Amino acid sequence: MSQKGFSALIVALVILIVGWGSLFVINERERAVQLRFGQLVGADLKPGLHFKFPFVDNVRIFDARLQHLEVPSERFLTLEQKAVIVDSYIKWRIADVAKFYRATAGDIYRANTLLSQRAESRMRNKFGGLTLNEVVSGQRDKLMNDITSNLDRVAREELGVTVVDVRVKKVDLPPQVSDSVFERMSSEREKEAQEYRSKGQEMAEGIRANADREQRIIQADAYKEAEIVRGDGDAKAADVYAKAYRQDPEFYAFTRSLKAYEESFSSTGDILLLEPDNDFFNYLNNKSGSKK
């Protein structure tokens, strides 16, 4: 190969190397910044093919996908000064690449550390304003939403990242607190159960009282109707007897006497002591069959 051809090959290689070092690609899952002598000259480079000056410019590429941060277990105090141990996690992603780079120098580990510190301080404040029952009950969802919103606002301003979600995985009690809390909760549940029993007994007594009152009212109404019917029957019977007596007083008196005889001597052991001329024997002494 001639000197001229060799020189051309060298130039071509240099151009290829320079050209290769001048181009870079950002894909859809990445975010990047361009630095020139350590100074930021290109912020939030979009996905695609980009150009840089070789040996002068430097490109820092970051993962733009959702990041998962396991927050170390922390011990917090509730409103009544009860200790709880909280395990949580944070979902976040880069929102402002330039701010993220300035705050963390592009170090994901440092970003996680700063985010954990800010999350810890906000959780401590939030848990400190709630009782233990509120922490372990349905208040937790609202608590996490408030922490997420507050932490996202701070993280955007200071770190250039957006916090998508903050969740508590587990809330434990220290061993020395568990027994006392369990006993207190058990006594509260027993008290609540006793209140329900008392209310049930009170309602039962009320139902029994109403039933007894309705029973007495029904019996009184029935007795009243029976007496009315009985009175009507007695009145009709008396009217029939009166009419019969008016038609034949002698026969009526005779049948009444026979009825009296039948009822008086219904048993063989019955004894009746009367004067012989007593009116009771009127029809027994009158042989002719007529009344004296």
Side-chain angles (χ1 to χ4, degrees), residues 259-270:
K259 183 67 174 178
Y261 296 153
E262 180 183 358
E263 293 178 353
S264 299
F265 304 106
S266 60
S267 176
T268 57
D270 292 341

Side-chain angles (χ1 to χ4, degrees), residues 29 62-70 89-94 100 108 111-112 115 161-165:
R29 300 185 301 274
F62 312 110
D63 192 346
R65 293 174 294 183
L66 194 65
Q67 304 293 318
H68 179 84
L69 169 60
E70 288 286 343
Y89 67 86
I90 301 173
K91 295 289 187 180
W92 64 275
R93 64 161 56 95
I94 298 174
F100 173 76
I108 296 295
N112 284 335
L115 203 56
V161 302
T162 178
V163 176
V164 178
D165 195 15

Side-chain angles (χ1 to χ4, degrees), residues 27-46:
N27 63 41
E28 293 81 2
R29 300 185 301 274
E30 297 173 336
R31 307 289 289 273
V33 294
Q34 186 173 352
L35 306 173
R36 182 169 299 160
F37 300 113
Q39 300 296 319
L40 192 65
V41 295
D44 197 10
L45 301 179
K46 303 301 181 183

Side-chain angles (χ1 to χ4, degrees), residues 23 80 107 132 146 253 264 277:
L23 301 176
E80 64 269 55
D107 188 350
L132 183 60
D146 292 343
S264 299
D277 58 349

Side-chain angles (χ1 to χ4, degrees), residues 4-279:
K4 185 176 181 179
F6 182 76
S7 299
L9 180 60
I10 295 298
V11 172
L13 288 174
V14 171
I15 293 174
L16 181 61
I17 293 172
V18 172
W20 181 261
S22 301
L23 301 176
F24 63 95
V25 177
I26 306 296
N27 63 41
E28 293 81 2
R29 300 185 301 274
E30 297 173 336
R31 307 289 289 273
V33 294
Q34 186 173 352
L35 306 173
R36 182 169 299 160
F37 300 113
Q39 300 296 319
L40 192 65
V41 295
D44 197 10
L45 301 179
K46 303 301 181 183
L49 183 64
H50 297 270
F51 174 81
K52 68 175 182 176
F53 291 108
F55 313 110
V56 175
D57 292 346
N58 183 28
V59 177
R60 296 290 304 274
I61 298 176
F62 312 110
D63 192 346
R65 293 174 294 183
L66 194 65
Q67 304 293 318
H68 179 84
L69 169 60
E70 288 286 343
V71 180
S73 298
E74 293 289 345
R75 185 176 183 272
F76 302 127
L77 294 177
T78 62
L79 185 61
E80 64 269 55
Q81 298 301 306
K82 296 291 185 180
V84 291
I85 299 174
V86 180
D87 287 336
S88 61
Y89 67 86
I90 301 173
K91 295 289 187 180
W92 64 275
R93 64 161 56 95
I94 298 174
D96 187 330
V97 186
K99 186 177 292 186
F100 173 76
Y101 177 76
R102 293 190 183 99
T104 66
D107 188 350
I108 296 295
Y109 177 79
R110 176 170 174 75
N112 284 335
T113 301
L114 294 174
L115 203 56
S116 296
Q117 293 173 353
R118 286 158 175 76
E120 186 271 337
S121 64
R122 277 148 187 82
M123 285 187 180
R124 189 176 301 278
N125 292 334
K126 286 294 183 179
F127 277 93
L130 298 176
T131 64
L132 183 60
N133 286 337
E134 291 173 336
V135 170
V136 299
S137 65
Q139 293 285 342
R140 189 186 300 180
D141 290 338
K142 183 178 183 302
L143 172 67
M144 291 298 99
N145 291 334
D146 292 343
I147 293 176
T148 300
S149 176
N150 188 278
L151 184 60
D152 177 63
R153 183 174 63 255
V154 173
R156 283 178 179 272
E157 295 175 356
E158 298 181 1
L159 304 179
V161 302
T162 178
V163 176
V164 178
D165 195 15
V166 177
R167 289 294 154 187
V168 170
K169 296 189 298 181
K170 184 171 61 173
V171 176
D172 287 332
L173 297 175
Q176 64 272 22
V177 180
S178 299
D179 294 340
S180 61
V181 171
F182 176 79
E183 292 176 359
R184 183 172 61 83
M185 293 179 67
S186 178
S187 62
E188 289 178 355
R189 294 299 175 267
E190 181 63 29
K191 179 181 178 181
E192 185 177 355
Q194 186 61 39
E195 290 178 355
Y196 281 122
R197 293 190 191 99
S198 300
K199 290 180 181 179
Q201 293 175 357
E202 182 181 354
M203 293 177 64
E205 291 297 329
I207 293 173
R208 292 192 190 96
N210 290 333
D212 292 341
R213 184 173 63 255
E214 291 178 0
Q215 179 187 14
R216 290 193 294 270
I217 292 174
I218 292 173
Q219 290 177 342
D221 291 341
Y223 180 78
K224 176 182 177 181
E225 292 180 3
E227 290 299 314
I228 292 173
V229 173
R230 186 178 292 108
D232 291 341
D234 291 343
K236 291 180 180 179
D239 184 61
V240 171
Y241 292 149
K243 289 180 180 179
Y245 179 77
R246 287 195 298 270
Q247 290 179 0
D248 193 346
E250 182 65 24
F251 178 76
Y252 179 76
F254 176 70
T255 57
R256 294 281 291 179
S257 297
L258 291 180
K259 183 67 174 178
Y261 296 153
E262 180 183 358
E263 293 178 353
S264 299
F265 304 106
S266 60
S267 176
T268 57
D270 292 341
I271 299 175
L272 188 65
L273 297 177
L274 296 172
E275 294 291 336
D277 58 349
N278 191 284
D279 289 341

